[in-house]
Amino acid sequence: EVIGQNQFVVVYGGRVASFTVKGKEVRKPRSIYARYDGGGVIVGNLPNRDDFYVTITYNDNTVEQIRNFELLPSVIRVEGTNTVIVASGELTAEVKIVGVPKRITKIEAEYVGFPLELGAMISNEDVKVIAIYNDGSKGQIENFRLLSPVVYMVGDNQVGVYCEGKTAYINVRGIEPEYVDYSNSAW
């Protein structure tokens, strides 16, 4: 019932025994400490929970590292500094996480059209371009530019595909133009 010495008496069959039990305060969280050790996080992504070091200090002065904490917000929302609240129960701490933009790190391109006659323009619709981003994700893109969009020789024409500072190359087969000779035709 009290913090400190509590006296108990046991009576059984006419015999009496007593003992004391030391009462202590119920263990309650007193404060929280949080640190983020990871790098920048791409905007729209979640920070890696393994990059957090979070401890709780209790009223009995014991300290415990915890893994069951909440992040508010859980997703990085803006480029630059983001303040993220680390919460456990009623306790909270702030950490700063840098939001970095999602950027293309590489592009892959493939020509999916038919061979073209000399002098023909390559259509963007016949080129499939996949962007690989700094978060490892991939996606097809349409905002690319062909560096030399005209077929200039018979055989393979290597054409550069450019987007956001990244270049990939495709091969477009060039063929001789077909000329129809009407000199032997009759009306």
Side-chain angles (χ1 to χ4, degrees), residues 114-162:
F114 293 107
L116 296 175
E117 293 181 354
L118 292 179
M121 294 279 294
I122 302 165
S123 172
N124 280 18
E125 288 85 32
D126 290 335
V127 180
K128 180 179 177 185
V129 181
I130 302 295
I132 301 161
Y133 297 96
N134 53 347
D135 64 356
S137 64
K138 294 181 177 184
Q140 188 167 341
I141 57 173
E142 305 294 330
N143 62 331
F144 60 88
R145 186 168 50 99
L146 298 175
L147 298 179
S148 54
V150 177
V151 173
Y152 60 92
M153 67 180 205
V154 173
D156 284 339
N157 292 259
Q158 189 175 54
V159 177
V161 179
Y162 179 83

